[in-house]
Amino acid sequence: MSIQLPKGFTWGTATASYQIEGAVNEDGRGTSIWDTYSHTPGLVLNGDNGDVACDHYHRWEEDLDHLARLGVQAYRFSVAWPRIQPLGAGAVNQPGIDFYDRLVDGLLDRGIRPICTLYHWDLPQPLEDAGGWQNRETAYRLAEYAQIIAAALGDRIDTYTTLNEPWCSAFLGYASGAHAPGLTEALAALKAAHHLNLAHGLAVQAIRAKVPNTKASITLNLHKVRPASLAPEDLDAVRQIEAVGNEIFLRPLLEGCYPSDLIADVADITDFSFVQDGDLAEIKQPLDCLGINYYSSSVARRRPNDSTSTATGGHGGGSPWVGADNVEFLDPTGPLTDMGWNIDPQGFTELLVGVSKRYPDLELVVTENGSAFPDTLEADGSVHDPKRVAYLEWHAEALAEAIRLGAKITGYYAWSLLDNFEWSWGYARRFGLIHVDYGNGQARHWKDSAYRYQKLIAETSAS
Ligand code: IFM
């Protein structure tokens, strides 16, 4: 495989606090909605939780050494809000700040640029008790927390990302119930989406007020959906999914409006009166780059009248596809990952090129891409993961193809540095380049895919 990338292209890996840190009761950390959710019997596979996870809180130096050995230029991590403000508001917990302070300095000492996500789903539980993302006030709390982090970490951070995948926070958290806090209410999810958008806009302003020259961003998991046929009703099914899956974020963030077709699709649920005067101006802040996470694609169609399909494109009790009850997803085809997701590098290229065509001045960064497969740790410490290696190579080629076709992409972050807590799938799904031996003190072992990524970075980063 030989790929061409622009000079200065950034290779990195990504992780998230609750998925790797553990140490949930240490140094004054408060409780998050994922502590509550994962400790509720029956919600997470095998009863797993993030109490220990990869024990990154104690092993962070070793993990940074792995990053250095991989040769990445940047590392995308998230800050656990409950470590910084255990109650989600007011008093700051200095030991929490100190942890990220050390982490950031540790990255810089190794020549790795820190990319900091403020919110990767671990909302302080007291904020959820007050309504969580359904409550407009939570947006203001995120801005306050953003200001604290910006003041503490300042210009040592290369890029601040306000939110990771707000679609998941809103629609898996409040509509399908597959994620914390586990609600299944369509209106709650729509309110949450708006308040997340507002939180982003307020947080960007708070960050820039403290660190004027830093880069500000947000990461979206944009859905690549194809129609089952060219029939108008199937094309409309795709439009519906894109409206509530993508446009509900892209349009307010980048164009300062909610799309009229989305408003019509959900008219039975809400009149959008939760959007207050001035909100859209707060939300539409100039972005230095847009993060895009991509794993797979799907095929949608108008649900036939006699359909008995329960395929909703999500998991959990309800459907995340608010306002799209008349849409169904076809079962994925071809080789699937351990998540049951298809493998569609061409969809990756198309998605990136499509967004770049719409927003030609906007820099794009692939903030997550990767695959889960079952792994075997051999007696000699090796892990042979040819499927993950192939997934990585295909998507690196697809990325290069998108750039060749004109997409303005400046970085790629492999998900994930380590095997970790895969939310409602617990530890039963492994996305890491590096194997974590949970039964054996969380020992780290490089998989073949880690060696492959190291080689790819070395080959494409040579000056
Ligand atoms: O593990 C998650 C991550 O937290 C957010 N993006 C998708 C990944 C794989 O499901």
Side-chain angles (χ1 to χ4, degrees), residues 19 120-121 164-165 293 295 341 368 415 422-423 431:
Q19 293 181 272
H120 197 127
W121 309 350
N164 178 70
E165 301 182 356
N293 292 353
Y295 290 86
W341 298 344
E368 285 180 28
W415 184 268
E422 178 51 28
W423 308 112
F431 274 94

Side-chain angles (χ1 to χ4, degrees), residues 10 68 100 127 137 177 183 203 210 262-263 347 380 384-385 400 405:
T10 299
Y100 296 104
L127 293 185
E137 195 51 31
L183 271 64
K210 284 280 170 202
L262 169 72
I263 295 172
D380 65 358
H384 304 301
D385 58 341
L405 293 171

